[in-house]
């Protein structure tokens, strides 16, 4: 899956420049010009990384960052904050609000790209691994095989993709809509209850009715793969 980066920046020239360079690096890019619009868009679709300008019309970058950190779906979203020179004294506040990194304008594009790659690696080492492991569950992407406690597990293609998607992002809570988007694709219309059906099948296959269930149902929010599950075993 291609990593998706959202850029929230009201200087249009900079926004265009960032889109061009991030796309050239192979990322999918969403550009958003206002803080309030970004807040709405991020409820529909969560990127793999967010580049967030400090000063924005609508809702400021720092306020948006604070709000994102309060929602379970985005509390771990990797965020790089852009600040203008002179706002540097505010950096500490930026990091305290929950940004993972910050970069001071004017910055060099290669520098920003290096930070983006570093943060993605740090945040999602699973995205580049061949074998994903959580607790006693192992998923081999090359062989497309899943096992638990060394015993092979048969999964349908949808359950496999669902498990892979969740294992790539342990601990993150996904709404049914986000799972549909990430696992089935955004251009297909499928009822959200379909997600429940496939999560049910996946649970049945990996738990066999007797092992600890690593899939957490978050009431009113959706599903997550419990990242504490590995440590409990
Ligand atoms: Ca700005």
């Amino acid at each position: 899956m291609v990593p998706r980066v959202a850029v929230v920046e009201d200087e249009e020239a900079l926004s265009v420049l960032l889109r061009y360079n991030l796309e050239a690096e192979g990322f999918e890019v969403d550009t958003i010009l206002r803080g309030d619009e970004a807040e709405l868009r991020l409820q529909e679709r969560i990127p793999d990384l967010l580049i967030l300008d400090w000063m924005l019309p609508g809702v400021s970058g720092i306020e948006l960052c604070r709000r994102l950190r309060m929602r379970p779906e985005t509390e771990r979203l990797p965020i790089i904050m852009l600040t203008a020179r002179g706002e540097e004294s505010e950096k500490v506040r930026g990091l305290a609000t929950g940004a993972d990194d910050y970069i001071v304008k004017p910055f060099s594009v290669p520098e920003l790209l290096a930070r983006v790659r570093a943060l993605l690696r740090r945040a999602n080492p699973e995205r580049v691994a061949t074998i994903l492991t959580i607790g006693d569950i192992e998923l081999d992407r090359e062989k497309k095989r899943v096992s638990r406690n060394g015993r092979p597990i048969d999964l349908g293609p949808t359950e496999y993709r669902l498990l892979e998607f969740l294992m790539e992002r342990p601990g993150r809570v996904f709404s049914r809509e986000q799972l549909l988007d990430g696992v089935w694709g955004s251009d297909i219309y499928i009822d959200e209850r379909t997600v429940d059906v496939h999560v049910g099948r996946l649970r049945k296959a990996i738990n066999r009715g007797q092992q600890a269930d690593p899939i957490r149902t978050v009431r009113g929010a959706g599903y997550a793969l419990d990242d504490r599950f590995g440590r409990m075993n």
Side-chain angles (χ1 to χ4, degrees):
M1 218 190 295
V2 177
R4 176 179 292 275
V5 176
V7 177
V8 189
E9 169 57 73
D10 58 322
E11 284 168 50
E12 216 157 344
L14 180 55
S15 174
V16 169
L17 178 78
L18 290 178
R19 171 190 281 282
Y20 175 83
N21 283 282
L22 287 162
E23 283 179 350
E25 284 285 299
F27 296 110
E28 273 188 51
V29 183
D30 286 328
T31 49
I32 307 163
L33 298 170
R34 296 178 56 91
D36 44 1
E37 196 199 329
E39 191 172 20
L40 290 176
R41 294 256 294 271
L42 287 165
Q43 284 170 20
E44 289 159 16
R45 177 169 224 171
I46 298 175
D48 294 293
L49 184 141
L50 180 66
I51 297 175
L52 183 59
D53 187 30
W54 178 282
M55 297 297 284
L56 290 168
V59 174
S60 75
I62 193 147
E63 174 59 18
L64 181 57
C65 186
R66 197 183 64 78
R67 291 183 192 174
L68 290 170
R69 288 301 183 236
M70 285 167 59
R71 290 174 48 212
E73 308 84 49
T74 47
E75 65 181 355
R76 293 166 193 233
L77 171 65
I79 298 177
I80 298 177
M81 189 82 88
L82 303 180
T83 72
R85 204 173 283 284
E87 292 169 346
E88 282 181 78
S89 58
E90 306 264 5
K91 269 175 198 166
V92 176
R93 209 173 112 211
L95 291 173
T97 311
D100 299 277
D101 200 357
Y102 60 86
I103 194 159
V104 180
K105 294 181 190 174
F107 51 84
S108 81
V109 171
E111 167 71 11
L112 178 71
L113 293 174
R115 301 276 192 99
V116 167
R117 282 191 297 265
L119 183 54
L120 277 175
R121 266 199 308 276
R122 210 160 76 217
N124 296 308
E126 297 86 359
R127 291 294 292 271
V128 286
T130 307
I131 293 178
L132 305 179
T133 309
I134 186 159
D136 52 4
I137 301 175
E138 195 177 277
L139 183 147
D140 185 328
R141 287 164 145 164
E142 230 154 63
K143 298 178 181 149
K144 299 234 181 277
R145 273 186 203 151
V146 177
S147 63
R148 183 158 190 189
N149 247 328
R151 283 166 61 188
I153 292 171
D154 266 333
L155 291 179
T158 305
E159 284 72 38
Y160 176 87
R161 284 203 308 277
L162 185 58
L163 181 64
E164 183 183 25
F165 184 84
L166 292 170
M167 284 182 85
E168 281 175 345
R169 305 157 179 84
R172 262 175 70 180
V173 180
F174 292 96
S175 68
R176 289 166 179 80
E177 193 183 341
Q178 287 161 351
L179 286 173
L180 277 179
D181 201 20
V183 178
W184 281 262
S186 52
D187 19 287
I188 309 173
Y189 177 77
I190 303 174
D191 195 285
E192 288 188 6
R193 277 168 299 187
T194 306
V195 175
D196 299 325
V197 172
H198 287 277
V199 168
R201 282 186 199 155
L202 175 60
R203 268 195 173 126
K204 203 172 159 200
I206 58 175
N207 298 334
R208 292 196 184 98
Q210 42 190 334
Q211 285 167 300
D213 187 0
I215 300 174
R216 199 154 56 92
T217 305
V218 183
R219 268 181 65 190
Y223 296 104
L225 195 66
D226 205 333
D227 58 348
R228 287 164 305 176
F229 154 77
R231 292 199 283 277
M232 290 189 304
N233 275 265

